[in-house]
Amino acid sequence: MNIKETPLAGLKVIELKLFSDERGFFTERFKDSAGIGANFVQDNHSRSTPNVVRGLHYQSNPDQAKLVSCITGKIYDVAVDIRKSSPTFGQHFGIELDETRMLYIPAGFAHGFCVVGSQP
């Protein structure tokens, strides 16, 4: 996996490396030593039909980081920095996610997504 910084502090794009052959593929989706620095305590899964928009979501008391991915199809995910003390407060970052790309969203961000591609 390759972790890339974004213009918003703490927000990271995670590019997954696929090992493919005629049977399908294998990929490592999370590794504690990858340097994200989060302690994951919950895993959620949702399914939406094309053109559905979900969000903007955020959690507070306690704040919650998220690792967003798209198992099949494609989504366009947008994260908005809502940390009032942040130099990038109010700024957003958007990216298309699929089975090869995830987005780590630290605590203090709202995020939402739109389904832009359906399951093959």
Side-chain angles (χ1 to χ4, degrees):
M1 87 180 55
N2 184 22
I3 300 175
K4 297 179 180 180
E5 298 293 330
T6 70
L8 306 181
L11 188 69
K12 302 175 190 306
V13 174
I14 302 168
E15 302 278 352
L16 301 174
K17 183 174 181 181
L18 299 183
F19 299 93
S20 302
D21 62 23
E22 66 280 352
R23 301 167 295 169
F25 70 85
F26 169 84
T27 189
E28 188 173 68
R29 294 177 43 85
F30 176 76
K31 188 173 191 174
D32 191 42
S33 63
I36 293 174
N39 181 20
F40 291 101
V41 296
Q42 182 176 328
D43 182 27
N44 301 331
H45 183 91
S46 70
R47 182 176 180 176
S48 302
T49 57
N51 303 314
V52 166
V53 175
R54 293 192 185 254
L56 293 168
H57 305 101
Y58 69 94
Q59 284 71 38
S60 61
N61 295 325
D63 291 347
Q64 188 178 84
K66 295 178 178 66
L67 183 60
V68 179
S69 65
C70 184
I71 304 297
T72 61
K74 294 180 181 182
I75 64 172
Y76 186 76
D77 199 283
V78 176
V80 180
D81 187 349
I82 58 173
R83 303 171 294 184
K84 290 182 181 176
S85 62
S86 171
T88 56
F89 174 75
Q91 293 182 26
H92 71 279
F93 176 84
I95 190 167
E96 191 172 272
L97 305 178
D98 59 19
E99 64 189 8
T100 66
R101 183 181 294 144
M102 302 188 304
L103 186 63
Y104 171 72
I105 304 171
F109 279 75
H111 98 99
F113 64 90
C114 179
V115 178
V116 295
S118 60
Q119 182 176 340

